[in-house]
Amino acid sequence: MTTRSPDEQRSIARFQALVRIPTVSRLDESETDPAPFDRFVAALPELYPALHTTLDRELVAGHSMLYRWAGSAPSGAPTVLMAHYDVVPATDDGWIHPPFSARIVAGDDGDLVWGRGTLDDKGALVSILEAVEARVLAGFVPRDDVYLSFGHNEETTGAGATAIVDELERRGIRPALVLDEGGAVVEGILPGVAKPSAVIGVSEKGITSLTLAVEQLGGHASTPPRFTATARLARAVVRLSAKPFPARFSPTNLEMISTLGAHATGPLKWVFGNLWLTKPLLLRLFARLGDETNAMVRTTQAVTQLTGSQAANALAERATATVNIRIAVGSSVAEAVAHVRSAIGDDGVRIEVLHPSEPSPVSPTTGAAWQLLARTVEQSFEGVVVTPYIQLGASDSRHFTRISEHVYRFSPFEMTAEQRGTLHAVNERIGVDTWLRGVRFYERLLGAL
Ligand SMILES: [Zn+2]
């Protein structure tokens, strides 16, 4: 049993209280219940009184929150700490402890807080609040302005973060550093590397969905044409699956391999250290090693939805397949669409592009913002190797690349592969001590601003 200070116990209780508010984002926003979001917004000033007397808060696009902590001698280049407090839906089904219970349960490696959002992303959001509150109480004032940007619909449209960026842009603000959720402290990213690594996202893949549609005269299924709309669509899906996008290392991939590879043991150290020779071999290895390494080196495609006729005895007048595409950094939405079109090779299949978002620009791994972040991570997590990587999923931070060249994605928590698997799934949970280390990470970062 770990003994924790009264301050730590109060921090944990506030975290639990906020996890218990079911701020669930629904894909169809008209189905999202606004009441928990109202409650969450109202709870913060009660839980963090010092923060709320020192920082200005404004509500943007409904329930997104933008805080400004005025610096003592601002140079005009503030820092933005980001997080979101909406969570994906969860019912009790499949959860060992209910998703909005925030129950603390002893595990093999210490106590864990269970609940939806503990990792994604209330864990970070509440850590930021805790760190700011502690700093304010200690009389600290940052030199430059610090903004806190808390989105309320990251899991759906990201409209809250977009509106916050619009507002900051209107005010002519160019942040020197933007930090959002993303990478974490993880193990086993590269085979042969035993040390834990702190992976910091310097970019994120693009995202779009394509609707493949085949239209045809409907009719009774008793007199079908030789080639039905559904068969034509199925042929397109099969052809597409047979043609994955080409694999390629981006400069960030290579930087990650050499950074982490320097800490490998055995013959792999040589392999990672001589990329000029081993690159083609490693590329084939990444493509085959697992789904995660494969997604690192190419644009991926997944057919996620299929539709056909409404009735068992009626021919489909319109058959559709939705292809979700995650676009590699260095490629583009246009390139992805061209690849799909040529893979399908059938003008009878219409391609409609939905919600296209290009890959993000790559933030530098040199300069003041990166140095500050990397140093803070190294000081907070003993023995970690800090490396850039390309984030596979999308986050709200991509909207900030419009107003800052220094956008980084890192959640200051140690996460096992199993825990990473609970994001958007059942049994999401975080170690209590892991979370407290995250609070201290933000405190340290703020102290350097
Ligand atoms: Zn998230």
Side-chain angles (χ1 to χ4, degrees), residues 84 120-121 154-155 181 424:
H84 65 89
D120 183 13
D121 183 31
E154 191 274 347
E155 299 293 359
E181 64 176 337
H424 293 203

Side-chain angles (χ1 to χ4, degrees), residues 71-92:
S72 57
S75 67
T79 291
V80 182
L81 300 181
M82 296 178 63
H84 65 89
Y85 71 99
D86 60 320
V87 297
V88 293
T91 61
D92 287 0

